[in-house]
Amino acid sequence: MHLDLAADAPAADPIAFDDFLKVDIRIGTILRAEPYPEARKPSLKLEIDFGPTIGVKKSSAQIATLYAPEDLTGRQIAAVVNFPPRQIGKFMSEVLTLGFADEEGRVVLFAADRPVPNGSRLF
């Protein structure tokens, strides 16, 4: 499956609302971030707290070109929490951290503009 991530890409084919609801996107707070130099693209390993129901999950995120690990602790971000875990090199990524590509193709994190409870679902 190929995704066209360019800003001028056409909209994807329509889906039913029930299909959208199958993708579980939640907010979480980054507890820890560290470099992941073994990754093919500049990445960070994240530990994210999604609240008491989902708990703390790990993610490999291709965000190292714009974000320093020390600047991410305490920051809330959005992630898909119901994809199966994915092996990224030697690291098991449990959630898909969400972002948008900027003009240079670097990933900009997707986050709420105000604090919300960890585990809150996007709707």
Side-chain angles (χ1 to χ4, degrees), residues 44-91:
L44 298 176
K45 294 190 283 187
L46 307 175
E47 283 189 10
I48 308 162
D49 180 3
F50 290 100
T53 302
I54 295 172
V56 175
K57 300 290 182 183
K58 297 177 183 177
S59 181
S60 172
Q62 297 175 357
I63 59 173
T65 54
L66 289 180
Y67 301 94
E70 59 272 13
D71 296 333
L72 292 173
T73 302
R75 182 177 178 150
Q76 285 194 305
I77 53 89
V80 176
V81 299
N82 67 330
F83 285 159
R86 184 171 178 191
Q87 190 77 39
I88 309 290
K90 295 180 180 181
F91 184 77

Side-chain angles (χ1 to χ4, degrees), residues 15 17 22 25-28 38 53 59 69 74 86 94 101 103-104 111:
I15 62 171
F17 187 71
K22 291 177 184 176
I25 301 171
R26 305 284 181 123
I27 198 84
E38 300 87 5
T53 302
S59 181
R86 184 171 178 191
E94 299 173 301
E103 302 84 17
E104 297 176 32

